[in-house]
Amino acid sequence: MVDRPRCVTGIELLDKELTGGIPLGSTVLIAGGSGVGKTTLSMEFLVNGTKFGEKGVFFTATETVTKLKKYLRNYDFFDERLIKSGEISIIDLWSISDRLGLNPEHYSLEEANILFEVIRDIAKELDAKRLIIDSITSLCYRLQSPEMIRDFIFKLGTSLASMYCTNILTSEVPPKSFQYSQYGIEEFIADGIIFLGDIERRGDLIRTFQVIKLRGTAHSRTKFAMTMSSKNGVQLSPMLKSNI
Ligand SMILES: Nc1ncnc2c1ncn2[C@@H]1O[C@H](COP(=O)(O)OP(=O)(O)OP(=O)(O)O)[C@@H](O)[C@H]1O
Ligand SMILES: [Mg+2]
């Protein structure tokens, strides 16, 4: 069997779980409730890529670039020089949309296509090998129908895969939801789903991390404990001793 080339996430246990990383060119949904670590994990994935000379682009659609940078400065893994050098670009998706004169509430099919082409062209121009949209949920609010959501994510995934660019789309889901995406469509189009959750234990909330699906690779569906700290960023550890 010929193994597909991998995109190394730099998150130690995850790369081990995925026998080297995410299959190159995949589109992976990082789904979870509010504050579970979707933005932090996505940014650490981009930063880790720069260690292999892979450029990254982060489209923010939930918070401003200024606020995002201020928040990221709390983490040792984040180095602002990566932005100055152009290894990482952080772009406000709504500023682009406004500059293009697109309707701020709902996109027509033509407007959705314009935005898709601009995202693709930016990734191409920057020669990005890792791309984040944070969050795909807020973008989906502007796409008017399930068909438009399906079409947008599918086209984005296939065109970026042809540029060997691996993509993460963050997906906001309410707690205890039985879906991994707001519209129930995003999760079927994506090649992979990573679910970040919370478990309450003795009055404390433990962060959890689980690969739900990932096309093109073997993986376990083991639930890991996830910690986030300024010094070490995102770290995974087994929940059960039997998983060690
Ligand atoms: N320096 C830090 N060290 C450890 N944890 C932190 C630090 N700064 C913030 N946090 C935790 O990270 C959480 C936010 O993480 P993040 O923004 O990545 O989550 P998110 O899933 O993207 O949230 P949202 O749903 O609001 O977009 C905070 O609620 C807080 O618990
Ligand atoms: Mg976030």
Side-chain angles (χ1 to χ4, degrees):
M1 195 183 85
V2 180
D3 209 10
R4 277 179 66 181
R6 305 289 161 145
C7 174
V8 179
T9 68
I11 309 289
E12 208 178 294
L13 264 184
L14 179 60
D15 288 326
K16 202 170 150 209
E17 269 295 295
L18 303 176
T19 53
I22 298 170
L24 203 70
S26 301
T27 294
V28 178
L29 220 57
I30 293 191
S34 153
V36 288
K38 302 179 293 294
T39 301
T40 313
L41 178 61
S42 307
M43 187 51 89
E44 196 170 343
F45 166 76
L46 276 201
V47 171
N48 289 342
T50 63
K51 296 172 192 157
F52 305 100
E54 296 177 13
K55 289 187 181 163
V57 57
F58 191 108
F59 290 95
T60 174
T62 46
E63 46 204 337
T64 62
V65 176
T66 312
K67 209 166 158 198
L68 182 60
K69 281 204 265 186
K70 191 172 156 209
Y71 163 58
L72 290 166
R73 276 187 210 114
N74 287 320
Y75 288 96
D76 288 1
F77 70 75
F78 183 70
D79 183 346
E80 221 146 335
R81 281 173 297 187
L82 294 172
I83 296 178
K84 293 199 176 81
S85 66
E87 288 162 274
I88 287 183
S89 305
I90 305 182
I91 297 174
D92 186 323
L93 194 61
W94 300 148
S95 298
I96 297 183
S97 177
D98 289 348
R99 259 181 271 143
L100 292 166
L102 308 183
N103 184 331
E105 292 190 355
H106 290 298
Y107 294 149
S108 64
L109 189 58
E110 194 196 349
E111 287 177 315
N113 275 333
I114 292 172
L115 191 68
F116 153 70
E117 282 170 15
V118 169
I119 293 174
R120 182 200 56 198
D121 292 350
I122 290 174
K124 201 170 190 173
E125 194 149 312
L126 293 171
D127 190 29
K129 293 290 168 257
R130 300 181 184 212
L131 176 142
I132 315 288
I133 296 183
D134 184 28
S135 68
I136 194 67
T137 313
S138 47
L139 177 56
C140 286
Y141 283 129
R142 296 196 183 190
L143 300 170
Q144 291 187 48
S145 64
E147 290 73 27
M148 278 172 70
I149 295 174
R150 188 174 291 118
D151 187 55
F152 191 95
I153 300 175
F154 182 76
K155 277 199 311 206
L156 192 73
T158 44
S159 64
L160 292 169
S162 71
M163 298 185 238
Y164 306 105
C165 184
T166 305
N167 316 301
I168 285 180
L169 312 176
T170 66
S171 169
E172 296 155 13
V173 284
K176 299 194 170 62
S177 158
F178 292 103
Q179 293 191 169
Y180 298 109
S181 55
Q182 190 80 32
Y183 297 89
I185 302 160
E186 308 91 296
E187 60 200 72
F188 291 104
I189 308 294
D191 301 305
I193 302 171
I194 290 173
F195 182 70
L196 307 184
D198 289 313
I199 294 181
E200 192 166 345
R201 210 177 261 178
R202 293 190 210 105
D204 203 2
L205 277 182
I206 315 266
R207 296 182 195 280
T208 64
F209 176 109
Q210 194 171 23
V211 180
I212 306 294
K213 77 163 184 182
L214 192 45
R215 293 174 185 145
T217 186
H219 64 87
S220 79
R221 300 174 96 217
T222 305
K223 200 175 259 183
F224 291 96
M226 184 176 108
T227 54
M228 290 177 4
S229 67
S230 300
K231 190 168 181 287
N232 299 311
V234 172
Q235 282 187 311
L236 303 182
S237 57
M239 295 271 283
L240 301 168
K241 290 233 163 15
S242 59
N243 292 332
I244 299 176

